[in-house]
Amino acid sequence: MKNMRSLKSWRTEKYNIDILPGYTRNCSLFLTQPISLFLVLTQSMDTSNLAHDDSVEELLPQRSSLTDPLLQQRSIHLSRSSPNNTSQLAIIGSNLCPIESLDYELIENDLLNQNWRSLGKVDKYRYIFLKWTFSLFIGILVSAVGFFNNLAVENIAGLKFLSLSKLMDAERYWMAFGVFTGVNLLLLLSASAITTFISPAAAGSGIPEVKAYLNGVDAPNILTLKTLFVKILGTILSVSSSLHVGKAGPMVHIGACIASIFGQGGSQKYHLTCGWLRYFKNDRDRRDLVTIGAGAGIAAAFRAPVGGVLFALESLSSWWRSALLWRSFFTTAVVAVVLRLLIDVCSSGQCGLFGKGGLIMYDVTNDTTTYHLADLPIVILLGVIGGVLGSLYNFLMLKVIRIYGYINEKGRAHKLLLTSVVSILMSCFLYWLPWIASCRPCPSTSNGDCLSTNRFRRFQCPKNYYNDLASLFFNTNDDAIRNLYVTGSDDFYHPISMLLFFVSSYILGILSYGVVAPFGLFVPIILTGATYGRLVAILLGSYTELDHGLVAILGSASFLGGTMRMTVSVCVIILELTNNLLLLPLVMLVLLVSKSVADSFTGNIYDMILQLKGLPYLEGHAEPYMRQLTVSDVVSGPLHVFNGIEKVGNIVHTLRSTGHHGFPVIDEPPFSSSPVLYGLILRAHLLVILKKKAFLPTCSLSANESAYKRFVAGDFDKRGSGKHDTIDDINITPEEMEMFVDLHPFTNTSPYTVVETMSLAKALILFREVGLRHMLLVPKSSDRAPVVGILTRHDFLPEHILGLHPFLVSSRWKRLRWRRSTVSKCFRSFIMWMAHSS
């Protein structure tokens, strides 16, 4: 209660902006004062106290005090909140980068409104035509890249395993070990080198970065052409190196990169642009294209068009609409058709070792699949254990990523050294562990020729015998999953071999992630889950008649639900992967159970990586403690505003001395009867105005016609991934510094505003659902300044809020999760109950 009373009294004092007597902001005052009265200057300022910044930039030294008595008298006194000690930096790949936000809001100013009114039906039809054309091309390119990745991996890894088999048949075991280790090291080190030196943003799966982008986070270099090239080549090399990783996750990032490049509107640097493409030079249309491309990536990775759409909807996108669903479904349908055409080309044997198995398709269709009510406890047990193992997997992986992060921070040499150590250890483990397994005779169904397919590996065994553990280790992950999913193979694998492979894949999957190279988690998790499912089927074989291959599918589903916490999309992907609709009820049940159990322990793996990287992702729900605060309780100063008619020197000084990206524009007498909020203007638009030098010799309103003649709407389009303009790139002469700019034609006259007494929880929902970058705070009473602050994404982060109000930490809502103390208490209670009962 004491804290709440102090909070209430603090609210009444915070942000009471009083204009002192005699305060006026007219043109004559600006003509005599070198520094604008619109600046709210404080005693000191650094990057930890940015009020409406959405990036961290090096700030120039500022004046520590107001030396001019007139400025001291007429300054706006802003009651500051506690300093914000959080930083808007995030780990992109393996580098620390400043983070900005995306502008999903529609800018409504006089210039753009005039341009919109001038568009005819031809322009609107052209825009619709381009949207569908881009969706078609995205589907074609993403499917082609997905096919190429699989073709390259199957051939590179296949040649490696073929050479290894020949050396093993010749009993040159040490030579085989040297070739296996050397090739793996060369492949993984090459993938790590191109990632480290060319595009660190291509490291990892890229799904957390794409998810953050669709949430409104503009992480640098994650969707560039250079990142796309490194992602494709690095994925092929790393997956071929026998590292326990997959190529499905990177396909999401690859699809997003391809879609984003289409949304760049061409390249001015290489003169590859035209007027048609400028329709997509904004963050709203790029967001739609990236969403479509990410869904197409999953569709290309698993040949699961419906699953790709649902994955984008459930796991990636923070904003969705029915029109986007239709275009995304069209794109994934294109992916499915193109993949089928490309696979048919390879059916004649012209694709080397790619084979006829298709693209990551595990066809386990079985018309005789049956299950009974007695099998449901086994399925529920699979879900429970899968949820526990999945949450532990996430916990351990996060620890390993942190350890690897400490090593990677020390420089490029340490990154490559870590990659080399991991590769050598993996190769030693994979090569020598199968020697423990015993040789098994070829199944009777193979007529003694079981080595003619990738299902079995002879390794060191005699003729007509195979090593079941080597059959899983010395195959690509896709082929290993096919081996585990195949039906009618209950006696193909020894229980000890299954246990060894499960423990190995579980540990190797954790140790592999964090190396600076492109790869994903999907396929390793599916493989580990399939092994776990088969192991459970072997151990409980006397209690159920379910086929071991079908239980392996349920194991993959349970492990996916326990790690990634996806239900609908994973269910559809599993069914499309296996082409077995009869398993739908069991897959749904095991996913629901595993996700529910895992949520009691840890969070989603991708959300955990988002937090670890420091990406400012906004959740779709508000924490209950946010309802105890108003928006004015979290905003921090200083506040910088502009006049409708502003002096050039004041604009230049503000842009150079702050990292702010949005500035309120206020009209005051003589241009209005009283101070009034006219709108919001962006830093990027101010730079365009300064670059064009649309200046006025006197402090007076300009005719709108002059602005329309000097500027076109395309001047304010969002630029792509190239170098953006900065204030240092613009040369302003001393004479021009004394001139003025009419900001009215370029100001967004309808920014989103909320009253300062709105609850923080309500403001968060509005901010996220609309996709805002700036939210203006207006006062409750009319006798104060027209704007009292600006909220950005940073102000809604729990670290910032709880840093300002530490007393809320104790009341912070937490998920119901099992912790060490809770588990110990339950265990002690159980022991006491058993002792009392006996």
Side-chain angles (χ1 to χ4, degrees), residues 520-533:
L521 290 171
F522 255 107
V523 174
I525 290 175
I526 292 175
L527 178 59
T528 305
T531 311
Y532 146 70

Side-chain angles (χ1 to χ4, degrees), residues 496-507:
I496 299 300
S497 298
M498 280 290 94
L499 178 62
L500 289 174
F501 186 74
F502 168 69
V503 175
S504 302
S505 60
Y506 193 92
I507 296 175

Side-chain angles (χ1 to χ4, degrees), residues 264-306:
Q264 299 291 332
S267 173
Q268 295 181 354
K269 179 179 180 181
Y270 299 104
H271 305 288
L272 299 175
T273 185
C274 66
W276 281 36
L277 300 178
R278 80 170 190 85
Y279 298 117
F280 295 88
K281 289 188 175 182
N282 61 84
D283 289 328
R284 292 174 65 89
D285 285 305
R286 287 179 189 168
R287 172 182 62 184
D288 289 352
L289 290 175
V290 169
T291 304
I292 292 171
I298 283 292
F302 294 115
R303 270 177 61 190
V306 180

Side-chain angles (χ1 to χ4, degrees), residues 455-481:
R455 184 171 300 174
F456 305 102
R457 295 289 183 184
R458 178 181 163 188
F459 204 59
Q460 86 287 9
C461 297
K463 188 177 181 180
N464 295 332
Y465 282 77
Y466 71 96
N467 187 313
D468 56 353
L469 194 55
S471 299
L472 297 174
F473 275 135
F474 294 100
N475 265 320
T476 62
N477 288 337
D478 295 348
D479 289 332
I481 295 173

Side-chain angles (χ1 to χ4, degrees), residues 404-470:
Y404 285 1
Y406 295 144
I407 300 175
N408 292 331
E409 288 175 357
K410 297 182 179 180
R412 295 175 175 175
H414 288 80
K415 296 176 185 177
L416 299 180
L417 179 62
L418 175 63
T419 301
S420 303
V421 171
V422 171
S423 177
I424 293 173
L425 290 178
M426 293 282 181
S427 298
C428 294
F429 195 84
L430 295 176
Y431 183 81
W432 295 111
L433 191 62
W435 290 81
I436 302 175
S438 59
C439 297
R440 299 171 64 86
C442 289
S444 57
T445 56
S446 63
N447 297 323
D449 189 22
C450 62
L451 304 179
S452 59
T453 64
N454 288 336
R455 184 171 300 174
F456 305 102
R457 295 289 183 184
R458 178 181 163 188
F459 204 59
Q460 86 287 9
C461 297
K463 188 177 181 180
N464 295 332
Y465 282 77
Y466 71 96
N467 187 313
D468 56 353
L469 194 55

